[in-house]
């Protein structure tokens, strides 16, 4: 009853091709966006618990949004195009460091030519987007091996990207503006004369980025390009036989994915951390993003969000519960318990539902469609 | 059934996680950021125990600070910057007045929090670590690298080397390498050592070791080839013990290795066994050993079974450092209470207490820290307060103090502090405070 589609007729091609052809989906999404865009700021503004506290906004929602964005990027590459990547952390780092360089001004002295290339500090928004673009270029470069190698071998090749860029940002002090400690500070977040400083402003900024990119990504994977990616993922030789160029399909997947991951990296550095070092984008981050995609659901934009929430928020919750219940456990016991529970939950989930949360949600939707007359 | 269970779990999750803290009104909240797990746990655990025990002692022995009980909560960071930020956000608003101050115990977390704490008006105490330029309190209003920065440490280390080789003029042409943890922590001393190398004419070579530091074979092979006269070690956790073992493997004399004060505790040398004999390290004033305050701890905390550590480990280097760290924070609150009243204070008020902190020999004796620390006086322009250290040597069983007190040479460190902090102020558009007008 809740989810009956009877009577919803589509009379034009445009309606048939809509992102959300079912009315209930549209309503649910509108409510969700309404809560995210209007509800949360209002609740925070009126100081309504728990939204009034900085903690929820700054320590949970902000990293959730940014990592969800990165997970969308990883999902395009791994979930839609089937190119396993362990280099996502590196692409986040490229986004972050190039946005940092562009945001603080680039100066390349060419001593032999007695000439220097100087770019004045760019507006932060532009710097973040260009950071994504730089990551896209690097993504294309490191995607080239994918034309010859597949699967685990490709994963190892992208792992090389991870270690290479870790090394570059640690070693080449030009990228950190010669900061003595190698830790850099993001420029102040000014957008068109507006300073984005408070937690709620930062939240809104990330929310806008995530929404725009999620919609773009969703449309992309539904369209011609997305279908090419999926064809390559499902069977590359068959795809080639029906006229899909693997070179084009694979490299676009790398480019789009790295672009989104790069933007997420810039946001992670500028908006969440404010000051960072290469360790913030280490191999741990790559694995975390890959787990998000696997748990959330390969080949699902929504799955990226659910996966990000699971991987990021569950450990925090597991950490908070004993304290809140007043159970006197030492922090190391809690941390070890957290590892055990988290690990077992992942195993259980992947055995029960190898396609991740996205599949669970679509099963739920199927059931709702038939409710109350299951068969 | 399943659904009910799920609902219950969801209720616990959502309700439990965000329950607003119901705190008593006469309590001062102090967050503890620590790491008892991960690659740095061997050093993180004794430190965290020292911190926890000292707060406990203040509550048990004195009933708090002038009747204001200390309310502490620990949060595990695992030395990860993003987890540290999460912990900070979680704990900063707790208690009736919010966090009094925060000790991140990681240079990376310090960097990430520097801007946030200034906005939230919560002092960030980084005793013996953190960013060295934050000594300049006019720019870094809320950072307090008490007792010594890495630049002071670098200066002291070179002073000791100069003494061993027979004077600063003998440093010319000597080769000194720095084996460091490749993170902000390890990189901090490099600019200072470069300045000193230029001044004294020694050859300086920085040798990075990647996180967490268990893989250092190639670095020590390079040292075997290059044969530096001295090796400075800027490591932490598992990296220290590994470095000592690798030095033994390439037969580099351990008595020509000098660790920073974070590389000079028991867990750093015991894994290497006999190979560590002769290894030297700086001391952040105090070393291992028991002082009058430990007797109080025994009486008020351990006798009641409330101690955090194994009793045998009380008095180790890092345990003592944790205690010292906690004591300085407590004394800052006590100082601030003189001005703002005997009630829970906000971070901004505690900052005043820190900037006016003045621990004389007499006061240190009252506190039971006599012989452990030298007097320390903080001011608005000098957030470091004291820059003294000694050198200790591991004789296979314990640390032996082998040098007199060194005081870091301000004429070496100050120009660098001014330069880097001015750059930070310009980047962040901070108008430095006029410290002559601060009361």
């Amino acid at each position: 009853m809740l989810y009956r589609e009877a009577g919803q007729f589509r009379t034009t091609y445009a309606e048939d091709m809509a992102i959300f052809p079912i009315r209930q989906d549209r309503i649910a999404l509108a409510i969700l966006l309404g809560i995210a865009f209007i509800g949360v700021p209002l609740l925070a503004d009126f100081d309504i618990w728990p939204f009034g506290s900085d903690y929820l906004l700054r320590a949970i929602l902000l990293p959730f949004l940014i990592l969800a964005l990165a997970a969308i990027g990883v999902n395009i590459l791994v979930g839609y195009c089937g190119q396993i990547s362990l280099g996502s952390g590196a692409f986040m780092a490229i986004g972050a460091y190039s946005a940092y360089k562009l945001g603080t001004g680039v100066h390349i002295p060419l001593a032999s030519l007695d000439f220097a290339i100087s770019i004045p500090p760019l507006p932060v928004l532009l710097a973040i987007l260009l950071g994504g673009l730089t990551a896209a270029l690097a993504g294309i470069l490191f995607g080239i091996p994918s034309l010859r190698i597949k699967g685990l071998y490709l994963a190892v090749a992208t792992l090389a990207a991870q270690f290479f860029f870790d090394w570059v940002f640690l070693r080449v002090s030009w990228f950190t503006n010669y900061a003595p400690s190698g830790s850099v500070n993001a420029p102040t977040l000014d957008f068109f004369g507006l300073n984005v400083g408070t937690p709620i402003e930062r939240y809104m900024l990330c929310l806008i980025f995530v929404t725009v990119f999620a919609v773009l990504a969703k449309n992309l994977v539904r369209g011609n390009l997305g279908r090419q990616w999926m064809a390559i993922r499902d069977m590359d030789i068959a795809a080639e036989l029906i006229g899909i160029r693997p070179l084009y399909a694979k490299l676009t997947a790398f480019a789009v994915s790295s672009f989104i991951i790069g933007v997420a990296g810039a946001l992670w550095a500028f908006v969440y951390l404010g000051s960072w070092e290469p360790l913030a984008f280490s191999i741990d981050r790559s694995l975390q993003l890959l787990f998000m995609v696997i748990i959330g659901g390969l080949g699902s934009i929504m799955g990226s969000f659910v996966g990000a929430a699971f991987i990021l928020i569950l450990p925090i919750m597991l950490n908070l519960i004993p304290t809140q219940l007043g159970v006197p456990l030492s922090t190391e016991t809690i941390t070890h318990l957290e590892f055990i529970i988290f690990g077992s939950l992942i195993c259980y989930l992947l055995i029960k539902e190898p396609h991740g949360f996205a599949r669970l949600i679509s099963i739920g939707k199927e059931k709702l469609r038939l409710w109350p007359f299951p068969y | 059934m399943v659904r009910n269970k799920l609902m219950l779990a969801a209720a616990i999750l959502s309700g439990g996680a965000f329950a607003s803290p119901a705190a008593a009104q006469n309590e001062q909240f102090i967050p503890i950021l620590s790491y008892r797990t991960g690659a740095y746990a061997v050093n993180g655990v004794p430190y965290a125990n020292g911190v926890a025990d000292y707060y406990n002692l203040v509550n048990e022995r004195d009933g708090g600070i002038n009747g204001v009980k200390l309310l502490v909560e620990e949060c595990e960071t695992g030395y990860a910057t993003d987890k540290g930020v999460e912990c900070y956000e979680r704990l900063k608003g707790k208690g009736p007045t919010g966090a009094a101050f925060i000790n991140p115990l990681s240079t990376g977390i310090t960097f990430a929090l520097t801007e946030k704490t200034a906005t939230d008006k919560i002092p960030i105490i980084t005793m013996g670590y953190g960013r060295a330029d934050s000594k300049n309190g006019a720019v870094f209003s809320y950072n307090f690298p008490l007792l010594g920065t890495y630049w002071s440490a670098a200066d002291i280390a070179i002073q000791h080397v100069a003494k061993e080789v027979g004077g600063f003029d003998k440093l010319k042409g000597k080769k000194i390498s720095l084996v460091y943890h490749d993170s902000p922590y390890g990189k901090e001393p490099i600019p200072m050592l470069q300045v000193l190398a230029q001044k004294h004419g020694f050859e300086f070579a920085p040798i990075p070791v990647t996180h967490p530091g268990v893989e250092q074979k190639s670095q020590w092979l390079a040292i075997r080839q290059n044969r530096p006269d001295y090796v400075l070690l800027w490591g932490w956790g598992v990296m220290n013990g590994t470095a000592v073992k690798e030095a033994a493997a390439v037969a580099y004399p351990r008595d020509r290795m000098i660790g920073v004060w974070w590389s000079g505790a028991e867990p750093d040398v015991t894994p290497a066994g006999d190979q560590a004999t002769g290894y030297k390290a700086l001391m952040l004033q105090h070393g291992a050993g028991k002082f009058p305050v430990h007797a109080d701890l025994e009486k008020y905390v351990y006798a009641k079974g409330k101690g955090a550590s194994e009793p045998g480990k009380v008095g180790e280097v890092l345990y003592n450092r944790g205690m010292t760290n906690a004591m300085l924070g407590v004394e800052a609150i006590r100082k601030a209470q003189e001005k703002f009243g005997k009630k829970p204070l906000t971070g901004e008020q505690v900052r005043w207490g820190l900037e006016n902190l003045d621990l004389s020999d007499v006061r240190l004796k009252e506190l039971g820290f006599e012989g452990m620390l030298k007097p320390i006086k903080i001011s608005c322009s000098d957030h470091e307060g004291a820059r003294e250290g000694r050198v200790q040597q591991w004789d296979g069983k314990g640390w032996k103090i082998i040098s007199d007190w060194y005081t870091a040479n301000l004429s070496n460190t100050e120009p660098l502090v001014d330069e880097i902090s001015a750059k930070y102020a310009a980047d962040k558009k901070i108008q430095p405070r006029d410290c002559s007008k601060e009361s």
Side-chain angles (χ1 to χ4, degrees):
Chain A
M1 282 307 194
L2 288 171
Y3 216 97
R4 195 156 58 175
E5 293 155 44
Q8 296 184 32
F9 301 113
R10 299 164 201 152
T11 50
T12 61
Y13 285 119
E15 276 175 28
D16 202 34
M17 290 193 297
I19 297 189
F20 298 102
I22 302 165
R23 194 192 297 131
Q24 284 89 339
D25 280 352
R26 284 198 297 271
I27 295 171
L29 190 79
I31 292 174
L32 196 68
L33 285 178
I35 293 173
F37 272 99
I38 302 163
V40 173
L42 270 184
L43 288 168
D45 212 33
F46 289 113
D47 234 11
I48 292 165
W49 175 88
F51 291 93
S53 77
D54 279 3
Y55 177 60
L56 185 74
L57 284 171
R58 268 165 79 158
I60 293 188
L61 288 179
L62 212 54
F64 160 68
L65 285 174
I66 300 172
L67 289 182
L69 182 62
I72 292 176
V74 179
N75 216 335
I76 284 181
L77 189 62
V78 181
Y80 284 98
C81 197
Q83 312 295 310
I84 299 173
S85 165
L86 286 173
S88 334
F91 296 122
M92 277 182 91
I94 295 168
Y97 278 96
S98 43
Y100 168 74
K101 278 308 278 185
L102 292 164
T104 54
V106 184
H107 185 80
I108 309 170
L110 298 170
S112 54
L113 298 174
D114 200 19
F115 172 71
I117 302 170
S118 281
I119 304 172
L122 298 177
V124 175
L125 185 63
L126 198 61
I128 291 176
L129 289 174
L130 287 177
L133 212 60
T134 322
L137 291 177
I140 293 176
L141 202 65
F142 278 85
I144 292 173
S146 71
L147 304 174
R148 285 282 178 274
I149 50 180
K150 291 192 279 196
L152 271 179
Y153 303 97
L154 181 65
V156 173
T158 53
L159 196 63
Q162 175 70 47
F163 288 122
F164 175 69
F165 284 106
D166 266 1
W167 176 85
V168 164
F169 295 127
L170 269 174
R171 283 289 145 266
V172 186
S173 47
W174 181 79
F175 285 103
T176 56
N177 285 354
Y178 307 98
S181 60
S183 178
V184 296
N185 288 295
T188 38
L189 293 169
D190 290 319
F191 288 99
F192 312 109
L194 197 80
N195 187 297
V196 183
T198 62
I200 196 73
E201 286 165 355
R202 288 171 180 237
Y203 162 80
M204 286 305 282
L205 172 75
C206 290
L207 188 63
I208 292 168
F209 264 105
V210 172
T211 316
V212 169
F213 278 107
V215 171
L216 288 180
K218 181 81 189 165
N219 267 315
L220 213 52
V221 296
R222 295 181 329 128
N224 175 15
L225 199 54
R227 281 158 206 272
Q228 292 189 25
W229 293 340
M230 287 186 270
I232 290 283
R233 170 194 67 190
D234 292 338
M235 195 171 191
D236 51 353
I237 294 179
E240 211 174 339
L241 282 175
I242 57 169
I244 291 168
R245 284 174 297 156
L247 172 83
Y248 178 73
K250 285 180 179 175
L251 290 190
T252 47
F254 266 97
V256 172
S257 149
S258 311
F259 178 73
I260 297 177
I261 298 173
V263 169
L267 289 175
W268 185 258
F270 280 46
V271 182
Y272 180 56
L273 291 177
S275 165
W276 71 95
E277 46 188 301
L279 205 57
F281 303 106
S282 65
I283 177 82
D284 295 346
R285 182 77 56 221
S286 302
L287 293 173
Q288 193 189 26
L289 287 172
L290 195 63
F291 294 155
M292 281 178 186
V293 170
I294 293 172
I295 296 279
L298 288 164
S300 158
I301 298 294
M302 181 192 55
S304 311
F305 285 92
V306 188
F310 184 81
I311 298 277
L312 182 80
I313 298 172
L314 189 78
I316 297 178
M317 291 294 172
L318 289 174
N319 202 309
L320 285 173
I321 291 166
T323 333
Q324 293 296 337
L325 293 180
V327 187
L329 286 177
S330 64
T331 48
E332 75 252 50
T333 320
I334 294 177
T335 310
H336 290 143
L337 271 179
E338 182 194 309
F339 288 146
I340 296 168
I341 297 174
F342 191 64
S344 351
L345 267 177
I346 290 183
C347 291
Y348 179 76
L349 187 82
L350 287 181
I351 292 166
K352 279 287 173 190
E353 187 45 83
H355 297 291
F357 278 114
R359 176 85 185 122
L360 279 179
I361 291 171
S362 69
I363 291 174
K365 216 157 103 176
E366 293 296 320
K367 285 200 189 299
L368 276 177
R369 278 178 170 174
L370 300 171
W371 190 84
F373 305 114
Y375 52 81
Chain B
M1 264 318 272
V2 174
R3 191 189 294 161
N4 286 345
K5 274 185 197 160
L6 278 177
M7 299 274 277
L8 185 69
I12 292 171
L13 278 172
S14 54
F18 299 112
S20 44
Q25 284 312 298
N26 203 25
E27 284 180 336
Q28 179 81 54
F29 181 72
I30 302 177
I32 304 178
L33 263 59
S34 61
Y35 33 94
R36 292 169 181 276
T37 59
Y40 307 99
V42 277
N43 295 38
V45 171
Y47 189 92
N49 287 341
V51 172
D53 278 351
Y54 191 79
Y55 291 138
N56 214 345
L57 174 70
V58 171
N59 276 342
E60 295 288 328
R61 183 186 59 189
D62 316 329
I65 308 169
N66 295 320
V68 180
K69 275 246 176 194
L70 300 179
L71 181 70
V72 297
E73 188 175 327
E74 217 171 305
C75 186
E76 167 77 28
T77 68
Y79 204 74
T81 302
D82 54 338
K83 267 193 164 180
V85 173
E86 194 263 318
C87 281
Y88 166 74
E89 295 291 346
R90 188 195 302 175
L91 298 177
K92 73 174 185 191
K94 289 207 170 176
T97 52
F101 50 78
I102 188 136
N103 301 300
L105 191 52
S106 142
T107 302
I109 302 176
T110 306
F111 272 92
L113 290 185
T114 293
E115 223 183 324
K116 294 181 207 284
T117 50
T119 325
D120 296 331
K121 298 198 186 323
I122 294 172
I124 174 166
I125 299 180
T126 56
M127 192 186 83
Y129 61 96
R131 41 189 317 159
D133 51 345
S134 66
K135 174 200 171 277
N136 183 357
V139 171
F140 294 91
S141 315
Y142 281 87
N143 287 52
F144 290 87
L146 305 176
L147 289 190
T149 63
Y150 290 136
W151 293 349
S152 300
D155 193 69
I156 291 171
I158 296 300
Q159 283 186 40
H160 183 76
V161 172
K163 197 180 159 202
E164 283 196 1
V165 297
F168 280 107
D169 49 329
K170 300 266 170 44
L171 278 176
K172 204 167 184 62
K174 289 271 186 296
K175 285 193 272 188
I176 299 178
S177 293
L178 170 75
V179 174
Y180 67 96
H181 189 264
D182 206 353
S183 67
Y185 155 60
K187 282 183 182 170
E188 266 298 299
I190 294 176
M192 189 71 243
L193 287 167
Q194 281 166 340
V195 168
L196 291 170
Q198 190 123 47
K199 185 175 170 186
H200 300 299
F202 61 84
E203 240 178 81
F204 168 64
I207 302 173
V209 173
T210 46
H211 154 90
V214 280
E215 185 47 68
Q216 339 182 346
K217 279 263 182 291
S218 61
Q219 285 87 345
W220 287 96
L221 284 175
I223 286 172
R224 186 168 75 175
Q225 272 183 347
N226 195 30
R227 282 280 148 189
D229 296 284
Y230 279 88
V231 168
L232 304 182
L233 178 65
W234 237 262
W236 184 228
V238 286
M239 176 179 160
N240 290 328
T242 314
V244 174
K245 278 191 245 176
E246 294 290 350
V250 300
Y252 187 83
R254 260 72 70 215
D255 60 358
R256 281 200 268 139
M257 287 173 75
I258 302 178
V260 70
W261 42 59
W262 297 107
S263 307
E266 292 79 1
D268 306 325
V269 280
T270 37
D274 286 342
Q275 297 176 328
T277 309
Y279 170 71
K280 293 170 187 164
L282 303 182
M283 300 161 69
L284 188 66
Q285 300 209 4
H286 68 87
K290 294 201 174 177
F291 297 87
V293 64
H294 291 94
D296 280 359
L297 268 175
E298 183 55 47
K299 186 171 156 196
Y300 292 99
V301 179
Y302 280 86
K304 292 183 186 172
K306 290 186 175 174
S309 169
E310 292 167 42
K313 302 210 169 207
V314 173
E316 287 192 347
V317 174
L318 286 167
Y319 180 91
N320 283 355
R321 189 162 305 156
M323 252 177 49
T324 307
N325 185 48
M327 182 275 284
L328 290 171
V330 167
E331 291 312 302
I333 296 171
R334 201 188 304 278
K335 181 75 194 173
Q337 282 185 353
E338 287 175 15
K339 180 173 176 174
F340 300 102
K342 289 168 183 166
K343 55 176 202 276
L345 302 174
T346 63
E348 200 176 0
Q349 292 165 334
V350 175
R351 183 191 70 156
W352 184 89
L354 273 162
E355 286 197 338
N356 291 279
L357 190 66
D358 184 0
L359 295 179
S360 60
D361 271 328
V362 181
R363 182 65 193 140
L364 285 171
K365 189 169 181 185
E366 282 169 15
L367 290 167
F369 281 76
E370 191 195 13
M372 210 169 145
L373 295 181
K374 295 197 111 184
I376 173 169
K377 189 175 187 315
I378 318 287
S379 69
C380 161
S381 58
D382 180 8
H383 277 193
E384 188 182 6
R387 50 202 117 256
E388 281 144 338
R390 287 172 287 182
V391 178
Q392 57 184 357
Q393 188 169 29
W394 181 256
D395 66 2
K397 290 183 198 72
W399 289 103
K400 291 279 170 301
I401 299 169
I402 57 161
S403 84
D404 281 340
W405 288 92
Y406 294 103
T407 306
N409 190 347
L410 263 184
S411 66
N412 287 338
T413 55
E414 203 60 9
L416 206 56
V417 169
D418 288 343
E419 184 197 327
I420 310 269
S421 61
K423 188 170 175 293
Y424 181 83
D427 279 357
K428 291 285 164 190
K429 303 185 182 80
I430 296 171
Q431 183 65 41
R433 292 184 297 161
D434 184 354
C435 276
S436 59
K437 287 184 186 154
E438 297 276 327
S439 58

